[in-house]
Amino acid sequence: MTNTDIISGCTPKLIAIPGIARPQQAMRASNLLVYGEIHGIRENADVIYTLVHELRIKQIAIENSPSIKDFIDLASRGIYDFSRIDPDTFDLSILSLEVAKTIATLLKEGVIDTVAYIDTFFDSPDRLALDHPDSPQTREQVLAENILGLDTAYRTLCLMGQWHTQPEPIQSDGILHTSALCRIRRVRQDALCAHMIYRAGRAYNCGHVLDLPERSDVSHRYEVRPRSSLDFDIHVPYARPTVLDEPNTSTDYR
């Protein structure tokens, strides 16, 4: 199937997520929910669609460049013009076709009012800065600043990969990684976080199907479980990979 066939054929749906009342209550005190997923999983789209409806989200912020805005705007009118978007966007799974369709559908339905594009780091004309060893941490800072700059008079859901939503600084390859979420919470201590965890399954990334580790501690059903008053785990019973193109198998799923 072509990308047009795939995006035309997928329809986001509402799913039952027991425990969703907990983040509903928490959002009465905070209009900002940061969501961390493993990219390239079909089920992410239905969870996003359900969160937006159940939590009355009015603004979605996504880990993508403003350069994809035209594609999303046209998609919300049922026009899928792939000349308006870098195909690597989908191959890298930072944005899947399913999530793109979900966002377009939410715009078309009038459920959300606006989409913000918060990953402006790679739009920099300074290639030396992009190649600098510190650039991953600079990107985290850019993401955080862009999120903090949002108008959260709108109830806002920020969609990012889990690398950007680590709750505490961690060492990675000898470098201290301080996620966008950590940086946001230095300013917005009330920022909520929903972390997707998957019992088993696979994800798609860069032409590969990645095997996820099986986790017996994750529920057999969709469910929200609180980790704190600000942090929630969303349990997903099984993950299916998004768009595939001659996939290989790998176990490197980060």
Side-chain angles (χ1 to χ4, degrees), residues 14-35:
L14 293 170
I15 55 176
I17 308 180
I20 201 166
R22 295 184 177 99
Q24 281 175 333
Q25 293 166 357
M27 288 209 77
R28 294 173 185 169
S30 174
N31 269 358
L32 179 60
L33 174 62
V34 177
Y35 156 103

Side-chain angles (χ1 to χ4, degrees), residues 46-118:
D46 289 338
V47 171
I48 292 166
Y49 189 72
T50 301
L51 287 176
V52 169
H53 277 270
E54 294 290 340
L55 303 181
R56 299 180 182 179
I57 299 296
K58 301 307 292 181
Q59 174 174 237
I60 286 180
I62 60 174
E63 183 198 337
N64 289 99
S65 163
S67 63
I68 75 165
K69 182 180 186 302
D70 285 350
F71 178 85
I72 295 294
D73 288 347
L74 286 170
S76 71
R77 291 154 41 199
I79 301 167
Y80 307 114
D81 184 352
F82 286 92
S83 70
R84 301 294 187 102
I85 193 166
D86 184 342
D88 285 348
T89 301
F90 297 115
D91 189 55
L92 295 171
S93 299
I94 295 172
L95 179 69
S96 69
L97 290 167
E98 291 86 349
V99 170
K101 178 65 174 288
T102 296
I103 294 169
T105 300
L106 290 164
L107 282 168
K108 182 178 181 179
E109 293 174 341
V111 177
I112 58 172
D113 295 332
T114 185
V115 179
Y117 302 89
I118 55 174

Side-chain angles (χ1 to χ4, degrees), residues 1 10 23 26-27 30 41 54 57 61 76 84-85 95 113 124 136 139 142 145 159 164 179 186 189 207:
M1 289 194 298
C10 64
M27 288 209 77
S30 174
I41 292 173
E54 294 290 340
I57 299 296
S76 71
R84 301 294 187 102
I85 193 166
L95 179 69
D113 295 332
S124 169
R139 184 183 177 207
V142 169
E145 289 174 356
L159 308 178
H164 309 299
S179 72
R186 291 171 180 169
Q189 290 81 17

